[in-house]
Amino acid sequence: AEYMGEEGVTAFWKGTLPSFCRNSTCMAGMLGGYKSMKPKLEPYTARCNLFAGMFGGLLGSFISYPFEMWRAAQMHNRSYKQEMVSRGFKRLYAGYVPGATRLIITSCIMGEILPRLKEWAKTMKQVSEGDEEGQD
């Protein structure tokens, strides 16, 4: 109710643009990092999906974190520039480790699980097509 009086209904969507930018760049970094690293790792390890996912998560978190700082500055009614100038460049990546850790772990898990799910889906489709041919 306090926000409605001071900032109006738009206060509910204050961090939408920075969040969209953060999520878009993070996903691009995660997918791009995964796709670029997987072929390089395949000859060396059976866990190439895991390590490619880890690299994708690291890249995604690194390139998207400035947008997280932009969102946080907006949520605290400060400008991004004001936030960076007042606290210095080190502020840009302050608090980076917890978010990066979460993304790296998630990307590792997804890197391992998704190829297995794709293979399982192919197998299920082949079984399903085989059942349909047997009915004819």
Side-chain angles (χ1 to χ4, degrees), residues 1 4 20 27 66 68 70 125 127 133:
M4 289 291 291
F20 175 78
M27 189 56 63
E68 173 60 22
W70 178 25
K125 185 177 180 184
V127 168
E133 288 175 8

Side-chain angles (χ1 to χ4, degrees), residues 23-41:
N23 293 344
S24 299
T25 57
C26 183
M27 189 56 63
M30 289 169 67
L31 293 174
Y34 176 83
K35 290 284 187 183
S36 67
M37 285 304 287
K38 185 179 175 190
K40 292 177 177 113
L41 294 171

Side-chain angles (χ1 to χ4, degrees), residues 4-63:
M4 289 291 291
E6 292 176 18
E7 299 179 44
V9 73
T10 59
F12 293 116
W13 291 277
K14 190 187 298 187
T16 303
L17 180 61
S19 293
F20 175 78
C21 292
R22 178 196 64 202
N23 293 344
S24 299
T25 57
C26 183
M27 189 56 63
M30 289 169 67
L31 293 174
Y34 176 83
K35 290 284 187 183
S36 67
M37 285 304 287
K38 185 179 175 190
K40 292 177 177 113
L41 294 171
E42 279 179 320
Y44 302 107
T45 179
R47 294 283 184 211
C48 63
N49 293 314
L50 180 81
F51 293 117
M54 182 185 299
F55 179 75
L58 179 65
L59 182 63
S61 65
F62 186 76
I63 65 173

Side-chain angles (χ1 to χ4, degrees), residues 12 22 24 31 35 50 65 69 76 102 118 123 132:
F12 293 116
R22 178 196 64 202
S24 299
L31 293 174
K35 290 284 187 183
L50 180 81
Y65 203 73
M69 290 293 93
H76 294 101
R102 178 184 56 83
K118 285 181 183 178
T123 304
E132 290 174 5

Side-chain angles (χ1 to χ4, degrees), residues 73-132:
Q74 270 195 345
M75 298 303 284
H76 294 101
N77 292 323
R78 294 179 63 127
S79 75
Y80 181 76
K81 192 174 189 177
Q82 184 182 31
E83 189 75 13
M84 294 304 112
V85 170
S86 69
R87 298 193 181 167
F89 186 76
K90 286 173 60 175
R91 172 68 179 121
L92 186 60
Y93 282 95
Y96 169 75
V97 173
T101 303
R102 178 184 56 83
L103 279 171
I104 291 168
I105 291 169
T106 303
S107 296
C108 286
I109 293 168
M110 294 306 287
E112 274 296 303
I113 291 175
L114 287 178
R116 293 171 195 231
L117 287 175
K118 285 181 183 178
E119 194 60 40
W120 178 75
K122 282 182 190 175
T123 304
M124 295 306 290
K125 185 177 180 184
Q126 290 170 349
V127 168
S128 174
E129 288 172 353
D131 288 346
E132 290 174 5

